[in-house]
Short mmCIF file of all heavy atoms in Angstrom, two decimals:
data_model
loop_
_atom_site.label_atom_id
_atom_site.label_comp_id
_atom_site.label_asym_id
_atom_site.label_seq_id
_atom_site.Cartn_x
_atom_site.Cartn_y
_atom_site.Cartn_z
N MET D 102 4.40 -9.33 9.54
CA MET D 102 4.16 -9.65 11.01
C MET D 102 4.13 -11.15 11.18
O MET D 102 3.48 -11.85 10.40
CB MET D 102 2.81 -9.05 11.42
CG MET D 102 2.48 -9.22 12.89
SD MET D 102 3.55 -8.31 14.00
CE MET D 102 3.00 -6.58 13.63
N SER D 103 4.87 -11.64 12.19
CA SER D 103 4.92 -13.09 12.41
C SER D 103 3.81 -13.46 13.37
O SER D 103 3.27 -12.60 14.11
CB SER D 103 6.27 -13.41 13.04
OG SER D 103 6.26 -13.06 14.39
N PRO D 104 3.46 -14.74 13.48
CA PRO D 104 2.40 -15.18 14.42
C PRO D 104 2.80 -14.94 15.82
O PRO D 104 1.95 -14.88 16.73
CB PRO D 104 2.32 -16.70 14.10
CG PRO D 104 2.81 -16.90 12.71
CD PRO D 104 3.91 -15.90 12.59
N GLN D 105 4.13 -14.64 16.08
CA GLN D 105 4.53 -14.39 17.47
C GLN D 105 4.52 -12.88 17.72
O GLN D 105 4.90 -12.41 18.83
CB GLN D 105 6.03 -14.91 17.66
CG GLN D 105 6.09 -16.43 17.56
CD GLN D 105 5.98 -16.92 16.13
OE1 GLN D 105 6.54 -16.24 15.16
NE2 GLN D 105 5.31 -17.99 15.90
N GLY D 106 4.14 -12.11 16.70
CA GLY D 106 4.01 -10.62 16.95
C GLY D 106 5.34 -9.88 16.68
O GLY D 106 5.53 -8.77 17.21
N ASP D 107 6.20 -10.50 15.81
CA ASP D 107 7.47 -9.80 15.51
C ASP D 107 7.25 -9.04 14.16
O ASP D 107 7.07 -9.70 13.13
CB ASP D 107 8.60 -10.78 15.40
CG ASP D 107 8.78 -11.57 16.69
OD1 ASP D 107 8.86 -10.97 17.72
OD2 ASP D 107 8.69 -12.88 16.59
N PRO D 108 7.42 -7.67 14.20
CA PRO D 108 7.29 -6.99 12.95
C PRO D 108 8.56 -7.12 12.08
O PRO D 108 9.71 -7.21 12.65
CB PRO D 108 7.16 -5.51 13.41
CG PRO D 108 7.69 -5.44 14.76
CD PRO D 108 7.54 -6.82 15.33
N VAL D 109 8.47 -7.14 10.81
CA VAL D 109 9.61 -7.31 9.87
C VAL D 109 9.44 -6.29 8.76
O VAL D 109 8.37 -6.08 8.22
CB VAL D 109 9.59 -8.77 9.32
CG1 VAL D 109 10.38 -8.86 8.02
CG2 VAL D 109 10.10 -9.72 10.35
N PHE D 110 10.62 -5.71 8.38
CA PHE D 110 10.73 -4.84 7.17
C PHE D 110 11.71 -5.42 6.29
O PHE D 110 12.78 -5.96 6.72
CB PHE D 110 11.12 -3.39 7.57
CG PHE D 110 10.20 -2.71 8.52
CD1 PHE D 110 10.66 -2.24 9.71
CD2 PHE D 110 8.89 -2.44 8.13
CE1 PHE D 110 9.81 -1.59 10.60
CE2 PHE D 110 8.04 -1.78 9.02
CZ PHE D 110 8.55 -1.36 10.27
N SER D 111 11.49 -5.40 4.99
CA SER D 111 12.56 -5.68 4.05
C SER D 111 12.28 -4.90 2.77
O SER D 111 11.21 -4.91 2.18
CB SER D 111 12.47 -7.20 3.69
OG SER D 111 13.56 -7.57 2.85
N PHE D 112 13.24 -4.11 2.36
CA PHE D 112 13.10 -3.26 1.15
C PHE D 112 14.47 -3.10 0.43
O PHE D 112 15.46 -2.89 1.09
CB PHE D 112 12.41 -1.90 1.48
CG PHE D 112 13.08 -1.13 2.59
CD1 PHE D 112 13.94 -0.01 2.28
CD2 PHE D 112 12.85 -1.39 3.94
CE1 PHE D 112 14.56 0.75 3.28
CE2 PHE D 112 13.44 -0.65 4.91
CZ PHE D 112 14.30 0.41 4.62
N ASN D 113 14.42 -3.10 -0.87
CA ASN D 113 15.65 -3.01 -1.67
C ASN D 113 15.72 -1.62 -2.38
O ASN D 113 16.46 -1.47 -3.38
CB ASN D 113 15.77 -4.09 -2.71
CG ASN D 113 14.71 -4.04 -3.74
OD1 ASN D 113 14.13 -2.98 -4.02
ND2 ASN D 113 14.27 -5.25 -4.25
N THR D 114 15.07 -0.68 -1.74
CA THR D 114 15.12 0.75 -2.27
C THR D 114 15.77 1.61 -1.23
O THR D 114 15.88 1.18 -0.02
CB THR D 114 13.64 1.25 -2.40
OG1 THR D 114 12.89 0.98 -1.24
CG2 THR D 114 12.95 0.54 -3.60
N PRO D 115 16.18 2.85 -1.59
CA PRO D 115 16.88 3.75 -0.64
C PRO D 115 15.99 4.06 0.58
O PRO D 115 16.45 4.31 1.69
CB PRO D 115 17.22 5.00 -1.41
CG PRO D 115 17.20 4.54 -2.85
CD PRO D 115 16.23 3.44 -2.93
N GLY D 116 14.68 4.03 0.40
CA GLY D 116 13.84 4.43 1.57
C GLY D 116 12.48 3.64 1.48
O GLY D 116 12.03 3.19 0.44
N MET D 117 11.86 3.62 2.65
CA MET D 117 10.48 3.10 2.80
C MET D 117 9.91 3.74 4.02
O MET D 117 10.43 3.60 5.13
CB MET D 117 10.45 1.60 2.90
CG MET D 117 9.00 1.04 2.97
SD MET D 117 8.87 -0.77 2.69
CE MET D 117 9.25 -1.32 4.32
#
Side-chain angles (χ1 to χ4, degrees):
Chain D
M102 183 67 70
S103 75
Q105 296 73 37
D107 302 309
V109 159
F110 299 120
S111 186
F112 52 101
N113 62 31
T114 50
M117 181 167 83

